Amino acid sequence: MNVSQAFVFLKELDANNHRDWFQRNKKSYDAIKNDLLAFLGELIPEIAVFDPPVAAIQPNDCIFRIYRDVRFSNDKSPYKTHIGAFISKTGRKGNHPGYYIHIEPGKSFLAGGLYMPPPELLKAVRDEVYYNAQAFKAIINHPDFIRFFTKLDDMDKLTRPPKGYVPAWPDIDLLKYKSYVVVHYLSDEAFANTPPDALILPVFRAMYPLNGFLQRARENTGQ
């Protein structure tokens, strides 16, 4: 994928975030979107080597719309200034753990796990961690995990133990997350100039044991 071309377009969009400019430059956006679709078409089978259930998903089911939902926002800018795709067994929908690619000048990253799961699924994840704490800690303390993520992202974490669990449990901090997510940030230079086999796939491979753990928790809900 020509990430440098995407960066140029997104920078210009950020400076001209209105419908007239976007319509004049829609062919450029369509070319970038098609480039991303082709890239995902190559990437998904590579991920399926270590996470087979994603093999059946189509690239179109993974890409997020560039149009913003402005109904409840004070910012009425109609377009996102980034491009994103989430690869899971059901694509960007369905609350399955997966692999996220975020393309934005100066703010690109790779992420994965479960972001803000609904209450029933969050409870299932916490139960899985509670009853299998040693296995979970082995995942997040593994050298491959630490190499790329250091720790779970704690952007949205409870200050007190969640209800229904013993506050004095030694690993109670592991149950305070509202999302079980990891993030690996990318420089523009690295993203634009490093082949995906060398840049993206090692990060997603290191992410896979966490996603597998979260998927087992999801299956315990009967979904």
Side-chain angles (χ1 to χ4, degrees):
M1 178 180 178
N2 191 335
V3 176
S4 296
Q5 184 181 25
F7 284 158
V8 170
F9 174 84
L10 291 169
K11 286 177 182 177
E12 292 178 354
L13 175 59
D14 189 31
N16 301 277
N17 200 328
H18 53 81
R19 187 177 183 279
D20 289 345
W21 184 90
F22 188 83
Q23 290 302 313
R24 290 197 304 271
N25 292 274
K26 192 170 185 301
K27 288 184 178 179
S28 295
Y29 169 70
D30 289 340
I32 292 167
K33 180 180 178 182
N34 289 334
D35 194 17
L36 178 56
L37 287 169
F39 171 70
L40 293 175
E42 297 174 356
L43 184 64
I44 290 170
E46 296 286 348
I47 296 173
V49 170
F50 53 86
D51 193 348
V54 308
I57 198 64
Q58 298 299 310
N60 260 322
D61 295 320
C62 300
I63 294 181
F64 289 94
R65 288 164 50 87
I66 198 167
Y67 306 97
R68 293 182 65 245
D69 184 352
V70 301
R71 291 174 298 172
F72 308 107
S73 174
N74 291 327
D75 179 4
K76 299 302 181 182
S77 302
Y79 306 104
K80 301 171 186 175
T81 54
H82 65 269
I83 298 170
F86 187 73
I87 301 165
S88 76
K89 64 184 294 183
T90 55
R92 65 184 180 275
K93 300 178 180 179
N95 287 316
H96 284 274
Y99 311 87
Y100 178 65
I101 301 171
H102 184 99
I103 303 171
E104 183 176 9
K107 301 177 182 179
S108 297
F109 61 87
L110 305 173
L114 280 172
Y115 176 70
M116 297 299 287
E120 181 185 12
L121 181 52
L122 180 57
K123 176 67 164 57
V125 170
R126 286 173 172 161
D127 283 350
E128 191 76 11
V129 174
Y130 185 78
Y131 291 111
N132 299 282
Q134 294 306 314
F136 186 73
K137 288 192 290 184
I139 291 171
I140 62 175
N141 290 324
H142 192 281
D144 290 343
F145 183 95
I146 293 172
R147 174 188 173 195
F148 293 111
F149 313 118
T150 307
K151 62 179 183 177
L152 291 171
D153 191 278
D154 56 4
M155 58 184 168
D156 192 13
K157 192 175 179 182
L158 297 174
T159 56
R160 299 176 60 83
K163 293 180 179 179
Y165 300 94
V166 179
W169 185 55
D171 295 310
I172 194 65
D173 274 356
L174 295 178
L175 306 183
K176 292 180 180 180
Y177 295 95
K178 295 181 182 179
S179 297
Y180 284 78
V181 170
V182 289
V183 181
H184 178 74
Y185 294 96
L186 300 171
S187 69
D188 289 359
E189 182 179 5
F191 204 2
N193 298 319
T194 309
D197 280 356
L199 183 73
I200 296 176
L201 285 174
V203 178
F204 285 170
R205 283 194 195 97
M207 194 184 294
Y208 169 68
L210 173 64
N211 280 345
F213 186 96
L214 297 172
Q215 181 61 29
R216 288 192 296 275
R218 191 184 191 283
E219 290 168 357
N220 289 339
T221 67
Q223 300 181 36

